[in-house]
Amino acid sequence: MPDIVTAAMIVIGDEILSGRTKDKNIGHLADMMTAIGIDLKEVRVVPDEEDEIAAAVNALRARYTYVFTTGGIGPTHDDITADSVSKAFGVPCEYDAKALTLLAASYEKRGIEFNDARKRMARMPRGAEHIDNPVSVAPGFRIGNVHVMAGVPSIFQAMLDNVMPTLKTGTKLLSATVQCPFGEGRIGEPLAAIQKAHPDTIIGSYPKYADGSFWTELVVRARSAEALEAARAEVEAMVAGLVAEG
Amino acid sequence: MPDIVTAAMIVIGDEILSGRTKDKNIGHLADMMTAIGIDLKEVRVVPDEEDEIAAAVNALRARYTYVFTTGGIGPTHDDITADSVSKAFGVPCEYDAKALTLLAASYEKRGIEFNDARKRMARMPRGAEHIDNPVSVAPGFRIGNVHVMAGVPSIFQAMLDNVMPTLKTGTKLLSATVQCPFGEGRIGEPLAAIQKAHPDTIIGSYPKYADGSFWTELVVRARSAEALEAARAEVEAMVAGLVAEG
């Protein structure tokens, strides 16, 4: 039996919902999870509001193996992720001694005052463990199955690189793509028949459109190489048959 | 009193969650909503699973003025948005006579067989109204406050253009940006004080990072020009003061 490991993501930030910033983290997390056999099952983008963030954390941590959040862990008043996650877990949000030491040393080295705003970045739910930040020192954290990371893409990616080796991975969903020079309307019926005959695969059909014409990418996914190949061969034969028909 | 109109979005598709396709529709909807004074409050990305889609539709249509969905309305077996939305509303999903006529005429004109797969695109919840598709004919639909549109960005954008004039708009959230050459740690405390003194504004701080240094974009948002200007002037003065300090 394949081993199924699931994940959800929470993107925290008014700036994404207002359109001001275009998210780049969803696609990156999706790629990374797929690469290691974890199924990303849901993403929520929520505003900078404590109750909204806490509700999303609680809804998703109960359903999925892992939850990953991005955004809201900086030193300003609108950075409320640590408070919100603490609230979700029902634990106090407090200054973490190790994080204070780490940040104090870093600011001292750079000759920068370790003021109250900067100290905010050491706050995390009681019992949380650090996620190292090789880019700008201030750590993310993990509590339970929830991983809290930065929203700035380069920092998020660096933190995620540190998280990845700690995750339990599942049986990887293998995939094969068949290019189809026709729109979906031409292939809908035979493709549905192939999907029905191969219930151990997931066959997706992704329409592409440009300059007035449609084409389609057909993607077969399966957790075993044999199942993948059997369905892929049928999809390829179907497309070849249609091409021969003209 | 400002008039508040809210919206949520549901992005439907395994291809986004697997990372295969990078979403381009969230940012576009966010920009369009902001432009007409509708607050996008939440986005969910959900897989091609009927129960998941129906649950998201029901959770969000009850909370927000409008819900917008993208994806899953094509002719293939994995296009299950019409069924899922029908299930959410508790109405049958059936062939729409007007959509059948429209599609039949379009395919006849192009000399293409109007087969069963293509007919699937005429299915919608009983009582739904069309959203015109000027790009590729097959309509989206609206039922209650839920607007169902295509996932292909060019088609989604064209459908949304048709939906926009039908929406009730709110008092637009005005915004002003102040560039700050310092990282957030330097401005966290004075910025929090300005936010506290101006509760009728939303002040966001967006850290930017590249080549080893941080800078910050400070964005003031408010529904009245006077409130906006008062807070913006204080933020600008704060940044100027820090620059003078060096």
Side-chain angles (χ1 to χ4, degrees):
Chain A
M1 284 295 292
D3 193 16
I4 308 292
V5 182
T6 59
M9 178 183 198
I10 305 174
V11 176
I12 297 163
D14 287 348
E15 72 275 26
I16 305 293
L17 292 168
S18 74
R20 207 174 177 290
T21 301
K22 302 295 181 275
D23 170 80
K24 290 176 181 154
N25 296 333
I26 296 174
H28 180 74
L29 183 73
D31 285 339
M32 294 299 104
M33 294 296 103
T34 298
I36 61 172
I38 294 178
D39 296 351
L40 181 63
K41 295 293 285 181
E42 183 169 348
V43 178
R44 295 194 189 180
V45 187
V46 300
D48 296 327
E49 296 173 20
E50 191 171 286
D51 289 343
E52 295 298 321
I53 299 167
V57 167
N58 279 336
L60 299 177
R61 74 187 175 100
R63 282 198 74 183
Y64 303 106
T65 316
Y66 297 116
V67 174
F68 303 94
T69 80
T70 61
I73 64 168
T76 53
H77 65 277
D78 57 344
D79 290 306
I80 59 169
T81 300
D83 298 272
S84 307
V85 173
S86 301
K87 186 173 183 172
F89 278 84
V91 300
C93 187
E94 53 196 19
Y95 290 96
D96 178 85
K98 202 174 93 186
L100 281 173
T101 305
L102 201 67
L103 286 164
S106 163
Y107 285 114
E108 191 178 357
K109 203 168 135 190
R110 294 148 65 201
I112 293 173
E113 184 200 358
F114 189 32
N115 60 20
D116 285 351
R118 294 183 175 113
K119 283 179 186 157
R120 271 178 68 83
M121 293 189 285
R123 294 171 73 250
M124 51 185 76
R126 183 181 291 175
E129 286 178 14
H130 288 201
I131 296 172
D132 287 346
N133 171 356
V135 177
S136 55
V137 183
F141 59 84
R142 180 192 65 76
I143 176 169
N145 60 346
V146 178
H147 299 74
V148 173
M149 291 174 279
V152 175
S154 59
I155 306 177
F156 165 64
Q157 291 169 23
M159 287 183 170
L160 186 62
D161 286 345
N162 285 331
V163 168
M164 299 269 287
T166 72
L167 303 174
K168 175 173 71 170
T169 58
T171 307
K172 202 174 149 179
L173 201 52
L174 307 168
S175 79
T177 301
V178 177
Q179 298 291 341
C180 169
F182 306 109
E184 290 191 300
R186 180 107 183 247
I187 54 167
E189 288 165 67
L191 194 69
I194 297 172
Q195 172 69 84
K196 203 169 173 185
H198 296 270
D200 51 352
T201 68
I202 304 163
I203 304 180
S205 166
Y206 304 117
K208 306 287 166 181
Y209 177 83
D211 301 328
S213 47
F214 278 100
W215 72 98
T216 313
E217 287 184 0
L218 302 175
V219 179
V220 182
R221 294 186 294 157
R223 290 189 205 273
S224 100
E226 295 69 30
L228 184 78
E229 177 50 26
R232 191 206 58 76
E234 284 194 33
V235 171
E236 197 169 84
M238 174 200 77
V239 172
L242 291 173
V243 169
E245 274 177 26
Chain B
M1 284 298 289
D3 194 17
I4 309 292
V5 182
T6 58
M9 179 182 197
I10 306 172
V11 176
I12 298 163
D14 286 348
E15 71 275 26
I16 304 294
L17 292 167
S18 73
R20 205 172 180 291
T21 300
K22 303 293 181 274
D23 170 79
K24 290 178 182 152
N25 295 332
I26 296 174
H28 180 73
L29 183 73
D31 284 337
M32 294 297 106
M33 293 296 103
T34 298
I36 61 171
I38 294 177
D39 295 352
L40 182 63
K41 296 293 285 179
E42 182 170 349
V43 178
R44 295 193 188 180
V45 186
V46 301
D48 296 327
E49 296 173 20
E50 191 171 286
D51 288 343
E52 295 298 321
I53 300 168
V57 167
N58 279 336
L60 298 177
R61 73 187 175 101
R63 281 197 73 183
Y64 302 106
T65 316
Y66 298 115
V67 174
F68 302 94
T69 81
T70 61
I73 63 168
T76 53
H77 65 277
D78 58 344
D79 290 307
I80 58 169
T81 300
D83 298 271
S84 307
V85 174
S86 300
K87 186 172 181 172
F89 278 84
V91 299
C93 187
E94 53 195 19
Y95 290 96
D96 178 87
K98 203 174 91 187
L100 281 173
T101 305
L102 201 67
L103 287 163
S106 163
Y107 285 115
E108 191 179 356
K109 202 168 135 190
R110 293 147 67 200
I112 293 173
E113 185 200 356
F114 189 32
N115 61 21
D116 285 350
R118 295 182 175 114
K119 282 178 187 157
R120 271 177 69 83
M121 293 189 285
R123 293 171 72 250
M124 51 185 77
R126 184 181 290 175
E129 286 178 15
H130 288 203
I131 296 172
D132 286 346
N133 172 354
V135 177
S136 56
V137 182
F141 59 84
R142 178 192 66 75
I143 177 169
N145 60 346
V146 178
H147 298 75
V148 173
M149 291 173 279
V152 175
S154 58
I155 305 178
F156 164 63
Q157 291 171 20
M159 286 182 170
L160 186 61
D161 287 344
N162 286 329
V163 167
M164 298 269 286
T166 71
L167 303 174
K168 175 172 71 170
T169 58
T171 307
K172 202 175 150 180
L173 202 52
L174 306 168
S175 79
T177 300
V178 176
Q179 299 291 341
C180 171
F182 306 109
E184 290 191 302
R186 181 106 183 249
I187 55 166
E189 289 164 66
L191 194 69
I194 298 173
Q195 172 71 85
K196 203 170 173 187
H198 295 271
D200 50 352
T201 68
I202 304 163
I203 304 180
S205 167
Y206 304 117
K208 306 287 165 181
Y209 178 83
D211 300 328
S213 47
F214 277 100
W215 71 99
T216 312
E217 286 183 0
L218 302 175
V219 180
V220 182
R221 295 185 295 155
R223 290 188 205 275
S224 98
E226 294 70 29
L228 183 78
E229 177 49 27
R232 189 204 61 76
E234 284 195 33
V235 171
E236 199 169 81
M238 175 200 77
V239 172
L242 291 173
V243 169
E245 273 177 28

